[in-house]
Structures are given as structure tokens and as C-alpha cells.
Amino acid sequence: MMKVKENIIHNPEIECMDREELKKIQLERLKETVKLCYDNVPMYKQRMDENGVKPEDIKELKDIAKLPFTYKTDLRDEFPFGLFAADKKDIVRIQGSSGTTGKPIVSGYTENDVEIWTEIVARSLAAAGCDKEDIVQIAYGYGLFTGGLGAHQGATRRGAMTVPMSSGNTQRQIMMMKELGATMLCCTPSYAIYLGESIKELGYDIKDFKLKSGCFGAEPWTEEMREQLEGLMDINAYNIYGLTEMGGPGVAFECPEKCGMHINEDHFIAEIINPETGEPLPYGEEGELVFTTITKTGMPLLRYRTRDICTLYEDKCKCGRTHARMSRIFGRSDDMMIIRGVNVFPSQIEGVLLNVEGVSPHYMIVIDRVNSTDQMEVQVELTEEFYSDKVSEIEKIRETIKNQIKSDVGISAKIKLVPPKSIPRSEGKAKRIIDNRNIK
Ligand code: AMP
Ligand code: ZN
């Protein structure tokens, strides 16, 4: 497999800056942002007044802990414009969240916010080797969802030939990828795997494609999924993280060392907290990720509770970048499943499945409550090969998965092996949990 280590640093002056220097910049920008919020966003003024905090109380970076948190419900309650710090006439873009039902959330961008977003996605794509020679196929959805336009702006900034395919229309997607000779792909990891499988099924040979790398994100994925994807497509697969509330993708991205995602700390301050108590935790500990924007002027957010669970690292990275790194997302503190009292993240189940020969990465977790007891069923697809040739081994696979889930996750699950292609495919973020318990 081609495994060229590219390490293009888009903005070395900032990305490799001395950390002490970086922290000074963060403090200056934090002070400005807090003042901007206090003076222009009634919700922040009210919350800070209630907590007895004034913008002048922010004297050091650690004073950030004095500031109030912001929650997703705040964005819903203040929808559409309540949290904007800029005048509406200065907002040049609206994007919205993809996944929520009911009242949506939006983010508003000033011209400078769009510029910053473009810059940070350019940094992310550069780390995956993107430059003027590249043809970048964007298969994230375009529209209110930040994935498509975010990747588009970044690829364009890198000078690449940008192909705005959006998600879906898989056959056409593959035809264009081959005919144009796309060298990079940007989409969700689950869609990338689906594309890789479809390439095979349609009778193409991956050797006739020019893909070398891709930036995949917008949903949780695992190291095992990376291996699968890199094998399927013969590429280097990089993780990219972001959320609508922070402006979209590019908040953090992987470098060729693939040892966590560098956070664009000149634009965001990251904290890890205990999700139950809200207490800040030190680097290296697992907890909920909290972000404060420090350069946004459209809709700056203070201490936004992402609900994403991960770990932060500040140690030096071999790539030369000095910005701190965040681990993969292990799960969300809110869609963590609690099954018979055990906390279960879908990524744990996925980790088990991807290590079992004969099953595909397509699965669905169905939770029911029968006679007041939670039951978890894991439906997982067999690979084409196993389904047709090795049916006799099905019982063995089922046992392996069951035992492995029991030992890794700590609960017994019912395993249902289903024929290839029977689990619905998604072109955006995969839906992997059906919870029938009605206990929320
Ligand atoms: P949205 O604002 O709809 O794009 O959703 C943002 C959420 O998607 C984040 O809070 C994460 O839960 C998830 N997400 C985005 N990128 C990643 C990634 N690389 N790994 C894991 N989860 C991600
Ligand atoms: Zn690095």
C-alpha cells in the first residue's frame, strides 16, 4: 500500500509557534471575546452578572473556569439570532446542524469568520498532503451542513482542483472519481467505506484510481475502521473534527503522525471537564470536551459543552506543529448508552466487530426493554465471501463476537448476523443505534 508521509504545514508561523507565545495570544483573544459577548449577547451578560463575573476578571487563561457554560439547548432557545454578537447586516453566512430533530441550531458567520474557517480547513487538508497538484472530491453534503462547504473552501484555499460532488449518487460519484483522477476524498468515514465497497462491486479495480489520501470526519470512527478504509481504497485516511457550533470542520485535524488531532488553538481554547460536575480536568484525562471560540465575531461561544468525550495532549508532536492534540472521540456523554447499568459507547462495539474476520463494518445496535430488563441486539453484516462460502462457520463467528463484547464491554448481547447489504447505508452520518426503551 502506498503510505507516503506527507507533511505540508499550511501556516508554519502559527502552527509551529512557541507554546508560551501561543498562550499569550490566546489570553489576549479570550479577553476580547469575553468583552464582545458581554457587551453584545444578552444571555451572556445575564449569566455573567448572575455569576458575579465581569470581563475584567479574566486576567489569566485559567480564569476561563469563571465563565458560564453554553449548552446546545441555549442555541435552540436563542434560535435563530439570539446569540449573534454582530449586527445582522455583518453576517454573510448561515450554516446549521445536520443531525437534530425539532428546533434546529444555526451558526452565523461574519466575513472574517468565513476567512478563519477557510484557513483552518486549509491547514487540515494540507496536513493530509493537499496542494495545487491535487484533485479533491468533496462527498460531504453541501447545504446547511458544514461538511461540504467547509471542505470546499479549504480545498480551494490550498489551490486544489475542487470537485463539489456533495454526498450520494454513489455510481456517479465513483465514475467522476475515476475519470477526473481524484487524488483526495473528503466525506464521512462510513460513506467512504461504502464508496470503497461499491468500487469493488461495480467491477472497478482500485489501481485504476488515483486516490492517495482523504480527510474523514463528522462522526465517530475507530482505528480499526481506519485500517479497513486505508486497505479498501489504498489511501492514507486522516481524521478531521469539528462542529457547527464552532463553525464546522477544521477545529482539529490529524497530521501524518496520526497520534491525535491538532487543535487550531489560535482560534479555539479547549478544556476537558468532568461531565457530571463541570470541574476542569488535567491534560491526559478523559472527559467532556469544552470549546471557547476566541476569534469569532458572528456567533462567539463561551465554554461550549460539546458532549464529546476525549482526552487532550500537550506533549510535543514529531510533525513540528506545537498545537495541543485531542484523541479520537470515544463517544458522546449524551448518547452514551446505559445498558443494564453499564455505560456503552457504540465505538466499543465497533472495535470488536472490526476485529472479527467474516463480518463487515456495517452494523446496527437495537436496544429493547423486555420484562424490565435491557436487551441489546447487535445486527452485523457478514461479508460477501463468508455469506456464500463459509456459512458453516456462522455459529463460530456469532460466538466470537458475543464473547468479545462480553469481555470488552462487560455485557451480554444477542448477535444477529445478517446477509450482506441488508443494513441501510447512509450517505452522511451513519445511524447505528435504535433505542426502543423510551427512557429518555
Ligand atoms: P454537526 O455540528 O452536526 O456537524 O455535528 C458535530 C458533531 O459530530 C461533533 O460534536 C461530534 O460528536 C461529531 N464529530 C464531528 N467530527 C468528528 C470526528 N472526527 N470524530 C468523531 N466525532 C465527530
Ligand atoms: Zn503532529
Side-chain angles (χ1 to χ4, degrees):
M1 189 196 301
M2 179 187 65
K3 276 275 168 282
V4 206
K5 281 204 168 181
E6 308 267 1
N7 186 20
I8 305 175
I9 303 181
H10 179 75
N11 189 341
E13 200 185 318
I14 300 287
E15 293 180 75
C16 304
M17 158 176 262
D18 174 72
R19 283 196 71 69
E20 286 314 306
E21 206 50 45
L22 178 64
K23 285 179 180 172
K24 274 188 210 148
I25 293 179
Q26 284 190 316
L27 179 59
E28 275 325 297
R29 293 181 173 178
L30 174 65
K31 287 179 180 170
E32 282 166 25
T33 300
V34 172
K35 185 155 173 23
L36 183 72
C37 289
Y38 190 82
D39 293 344
N40 296 283
V41 183
M43 182 190 87
Y44 282 127
K45 177 167 192 319
Q46 190 191 338
R47 286 206 188 155
M48 286 173 62
D49 286 347
E50 277 166 12
N51 292 2
V53 193
K54 291 267 173 292
E56 310 80 82
D57 296 332
I58 306 300
K59 297 194 173 78
E60 308 171 64
L61 277 178
K62 71 173 180 24
D63 292 333
I64 198 169
K66 295 178 180 165
L67 296 169
F69 287 122
T70 308
Y71 300 87
K72 201 183 239 346
T73 46
D74 295 326
L75 278 94
R76 296 213 177 105
D77 295 346
E78 299 290 330
F79 175 82
F81 304 133
L83 294 179
F84 287 14
D87 204 284
K88 257 198 279 174
K89 71 177 183 339
D90 294 323
I91 298 290
V92 300
R93 179 83 66 80
I94 291 288
Q95 302 276 171
S97 176
S98 52
T100 47
T101 49
K103 222 173 171 185
I105 61 147
V106 288
S107 183
Y109 306 66
T110 57
E111 211 174 330
N112 194 48
D113 293 339
V114 174
E115 167 57 34
I116 290 163
W117 185 22
T118 305
E119 154 83 17
I120 62 179
V121 179
R123 291 180 194 174
S124 315
L125 295 181
C130 182
D131 67 16
K132 289 177 75 65
E133 310 295 318
D134 282 296
I135 300 177
V136 183
Q137 184 149 337
I138 318 279
Y140 283 114
Y142 278 65
L144 278 180
F145 173 50
T146 55
L149 281 158
H152 184 104
Q153 292 160 182
T156 307
R157 174 62 51 90
R158 288 297 304 157
M161 188 191 293
T162 306
V163 190
M165 288 300 293
S166 196
S167 61
N169 215 334
T170 303
Q171 294 211 8
R172 189 148 162 261
Q173 191 92 242
I174 293 171
M175 184 273 286
M176 288 293 272
M177 196 184 288
K178 180 166 175 288
E179 296 302 321
L180 295 176
T183 57
M184 288 185 72
L185 174 65
C186 297
C187 61
T188 58
S190 55
Y191 189 50
I193 288 186
Y194 180 48
L195 278 168
E197 288 177 339
S198 305
I199 286 175
K200 259 195 195 162
E201 270 156 30
L202 293 167
Y204 291 108
D205 186 342
I206 196 71
K207 290 199 185 68
D208 297 328
F209 288 71
K210 299 227 162 57
L211 284 179
K212 64 169 190 188
S213 72
C215 294
F216 307 100
E219 65 182 4
W221 53 312
T222 51
E223 216 42 59
E224 288 85 354
M225 239 172 121
R226 170 169 15 226
E227 278 168 30
Q228 190 121 24
L229 180 54
E230 293 192 332
L232 259 178
M233 294 240 190
D234 197 13
I235 55 169
N236 253 313
Y238 294 90
N239 201 354
I240 177 167
Y241 170 88
L243 57 163
T244 312
E245 295 85 339
M246 293 296 112
V251 172
F253 61 93
E254 264 182 338
C255 69
E257 298 298 322
K258 295 182 179 164
C259 58
M261 295 178 272
H262 288 282
I263 299 164
N264 281 303
E265 290 185 289
D266 52 327
H267 298 294
F268 307 97
I269 295 179
E271 296 173 84
I272 286 284
I273 62 158
N274 174 328
E276 263 114 57
T277 62
E279 283 305 309
L281 295 172
Y283 278 80
E285 282 197 32
E286 186 176 313
E288 182 182 332
L289 185 59
V290 171
F291 277 116
T292 300
T293 66
I294 50 172
T295 47
K296 272 163 79 78
T297 47
M299 195 180 87
L301 293 183
L302 304 179
R303 305 191 84 204
Y304 181 70
R305 302 278 302 253
T306 66
R307 300 292 177 192
D308 291 325
I309 304 291
C310 72
T311 307
L312 296 180
Y313 307 99
E314 210 177 6
D315 57 309
K316 223 171 170 179
C317 182
K318 289 199 196 100
C319 73
R321 290 174 185 81
T322 50
H323 292 200
R325 300 174 332 265
M326 57 184 268
S327 68
R328 273 185 188 285
I329 302 294
F330 305 127
R332 284 179 61 87
S333 65
D334 55 356
D335 60 33
M336 176 176 75
M337 303 175 284
I338 304 182
I339 299 169
R340 296 197 288 274
V342 180
N343 294 352
V344 181
F345 291 113
S347 59
Q348 293 175 289
I349 307 284
E350 185 175 305
V352 169
L353 297 178
L354 288 160
N355 279 316
V356 178
E357 198 198 341
V359 301
S360 78
H362 302 291
Y363 65 94
M364 185 74 86
I365 299 168
V366 184
I367 308 162
D368 281 292
R369 186 161 279 182
V370 182
N371 300 329
S372 350
T373 309
D374 295 336
Q375 306 212 320
M376 178 167 86
E377 178 178 273
V378 179
Q379 302 177 351
V380 56
E381 276 182 19
L382 288 163
T383 60
E384 206 71 66
E385 192 206 355
F386 257 77
Y387 193 64
S388 49
D389 304 339
K390 304 189 180 159
V391 181
S392 57
E393 289 177 39
I394 283 185
E395 204 43 50
K396 214 174 96 199
I397 298 183
R398 202 199 320 269
E399 275 307 298
T400 310
I401 298 175
K402 195 175 166 63
N403 294 339
Q404 208 53 48
I405 290 182
K406 178 86 192 142
S407 82
D408 285 14
V409 187
I411 56 163
S412 318
K414 192 174 156 211
I415 311 302
K416 186 172 173 192
L417 297 171
V418 299
K421 294 204 223 24
S422 52
I423 304 237
R425 299 294 191 262
S426 130
E427 289 160 355
K429 301 189 191 217
K431 290 208 176 22
R432 306 209 193 267
I433 307 169
I434 299 174
D435 194 338
N436 296 320
R437 291 178 299 180
N438 273 330
I439 49 172
K440 285 198 180 138

